[in-house]
Amino acid sequence: MAAFRRFRAGKFLLYLLLAAPLLHVAVSLEPISISIGIAAASAITGYMSFPNFYCGRLVECCQVDTPLNSTALLVDLKEKLYGQHLAQDVICRALTGFMSNENPKKPLALSLHGWTGTGKNFVSKIIVENIYDLGMKSKFVHLFVSTVHFPHNSLIPLYKDQLQSWIRGNTSRCARSIFIFDEMDKLHPGLIDAIKPFLDYYEHIDGVSYRKAIFIFLSNAGGDLINRRMLEFWTSGRKREELQLKDVENFLSVGLFNNNNSGFWRCALIEKNLIDYFVPFLPLEFSHVKKCVLAELRHRGLEEDEELAFRVAKEMTYSPKENKLFSDKGCKTVSARLNFHL
């Protein structure tokens, strides 16, 4: 009975401690009850003030002020992404610089371009996982797929309103929101201009700052232009790794702006220079496809098999017909091909 009274007294003191700023209460309790109450209050206060405990175990928190581990990001890009030295360098530098800036002038906008299977979706996944532990499942990461979310040309005005509302609402909740737009080459021209105000150099729009948000655009558009430049490099005897961003970026942005089969056609985001980087994903060669096969084997917990990787990579189709340099589908069908052999 005495123990029960002490428990009740400690619990009552805890209530008083929490309400102290509002109430002035005089209470007289035996010393042991006071000790229990103070210890309990201290334990609760300690846990609630420890961000890693609260954010990591209780809820997912917006990573607005959490610095990026650029070393971990670079390791992920180099170990998991094959044949894309430009994408590795540009993305690592862009994200590191942006997230280390406490007061950026505008959101970060990355536009990733290249043939299917070259790693665009894979890279967006790597980026997200290096910012949020839950990756693509994070409530602060938002994926839009053109053919799923914006399928009807007649509903563009409605889509624009919905898109603005979604971005406004989620950025209000978390300044470090990430918005990914996939299949930009299938997006109705003009629709993406709805987000122009959020990518511009405004400090606030209706009390909301978008400057710490990240926008990522994924598109097959421009892939032919990138492949043509890559072929020119090969024909002139230059190494793949010699290709620099300046060799591709300008003519890529111009080509997208003038391509009426792209969601970027006559786009205000390009016209007003609101996209920070146009990142080219180069066509993959036989050696890169082979690495993808070995990576898939590791992912399945199987032993690496060089001979099997060679056979699977050899079955893929390559172009141009004269020299068969580049994989037509990149690494996209590697998993299915491997299933056939296993």
Side-chain angles (χ1 to χ4, degrees):
M1 191 66 181
F4 178 73
R5 283 198 300 270
R6 285 196 296 271
F7 171 77
R8 290 189 62 185
K11 186 176 181 181
F12 179 64
L13 178 58
L14 179 57
Y15 288 148
L16 294 181
L17 288 171
L18 295 175
L22 302 176
L23 301 174
H24 300 282
V25 181
V27 61
S28 176
L29 298 170
E30 56 188 293
I32 190 169
S33 299
I34 294 175
S35 300
I36 294 173
I38 292 175
S42 299
I44 293 174
T45 303
Y47 279 130
M48 294 302 289
S49 64
F50 188 50
N52 289 337
F53 176 84
Y54 180 73
C55 294
R57 299 186 182 184
L58 299 182
V59 297
E60 184 191 18
C61 294
C62 175
Q63 301 297 330
V64 66
D65 294 318
T66 303
L68 177 72
N69 187 335
S70 57
T71 301
L73 173 62
L74 185 58
V75 168
D76 274 351
L77 290 171
K78 286 189 173 182
E79 290 185 352
K80 301 176 181 178
L81 185 66
Y82 306 120
Q84 304 298 351
H85 70 284
L86 283 179
Q88 291 170 354
D89 181 61
V90 173
I91 289 171
C92 190
R93 289 175 181 269
L95 276 172
T96 301
F98 178 72
M99 293 190 65
S100 63
N101 187 351
E102 295 182 359
N103 187 29
K105 299 299 182 183
K106 65 178 292 296
L108 177 64
L110 302 173
S111 194
L112 316 185
H113 298 269
W115 265 4
T116 183
T118 51
K120 301 182 298 297
N121 287 88
F122 189 51
V123 161
S124 63
K125 182 173 177 286
I126 291 175
I127 291 172
V128 166
E129 289 175 347
N130 275 271
I131 298 176
Y132 288 107
D133 291 338
L134 294 180
M136 297 299 293
K137 295 181 180 179
S138 170
K139 61 186 177 182
F140 305 119
V141 178
H142 314 281
L143 173 65
F144 300 96
V145 182
S146 297
T147 52
V148 175
H149 296 99
F150 316 111
H152 305 296
N153 193 38
S154 59
L155 296 178
I156 289 181
L158 175 62
Y159 293 151
K160 286 184 175 182
D161 290 341
Q162 291 176 336
L163 188 54
Q164 288 185 341
S165 296
W166 184 261
I167 292 175
R168 185 183 302 112
N170 284 285
T171 311
S172 299
R173 184 172 62 159
C174 175
R176 185 73 79 203
S177 290
I178 302 175
F179 302 97
I180 302 173
F181 294 84
D182 196 8
E183 298 183 347
M184 280 295 298
D185 48 302
K186 298 179 177 66
L187 190 70
H188 301 294
L191 176 54
I192 201 63
D193 281 344
I195 72 170
K196 175 189 172 296
F198 309 127
L199 288 177
D200 218 324
Y201 290 81
Y202 298 116
E203 186 172 354
H204 293 92
I205 300 177
D206 293 332
V208 180
S209 174
Y210 299 89
R211 291 182 167 187
K212 292 190 176 182
I214 298 174
F215 292 80
I216 303 174
F217 306 100
L218 312 177
S219 178
N220 292 342
D224 291 340
L225 297 174
I226 296 168
N227 292 2
R228 192 181 309 149
R229 181 55 57 93
M230 190 68 250
L231 187 59
E232 290 173 359
F233 254 61
W234 182 86
T235 304
S236 64
R238 301 176 68 180
K239 294 182 179 179
R240 181 189 187 94
E241 291 72 20
E242 292 180 26
L243 189 70
Q244 300 180 35
L245 185 63
K246 65 181 182 180
D247 298 320
V248 185
E249 190 175 32
N250 186 57
F251 83 85
L252 178 58
S253 63
V254 172
L256 293 168
F257 186 75
N258 294 314
N259 184 355
N260 58 7
N261 291 319
S262 166
F264 286 117
W265 183 62
R266 304 296 179 186
C267 174
L269 303 187
I270 297 179
E271 185 179 18
K272 301 299 182 182
N273 298 310
L274 297 179
I275 296 179
D276 299 294
Y277 299 94
F278 290 89
V279 186
F281 279 67
L282 308 180
L284 299 184
E285 301 173 17
F286 176 84
S287 61
H288 306 127
V289 178
K290 184 180 172 183
K291 288 180 180 179
C292 288
V293 179
L294 294 172
E296 180 64 20
L297 286 170
R298 291 194 300 271
H299 176 71
R300 299 187 187 193
L302 301 174
E303 185 178 351
E304 292 187 19
D305 188 330
E306 291 282 342
E307 183 181 347
L308 175 60
F310 181 89
R311 290 204 312 270
V312 173
K314 197 71 175 177
E315 288 182 359
M316 306 291 278
T317 58
Y318 297 83
S319 62
K321 293 181 180 180
E322 304 80 46
N323 40 44
K324 296 184 178 180
L325 280 176
F326 308 131
S327 171
D328 292 329
K329 298 178 182 178
C331 287
K332 194 156 192 173
T333 60
V334 159
S335 181
R337 294 273 181 173
L338 190 57
N339 288 339
F340 177 80
H341 284 273
L342 292 177

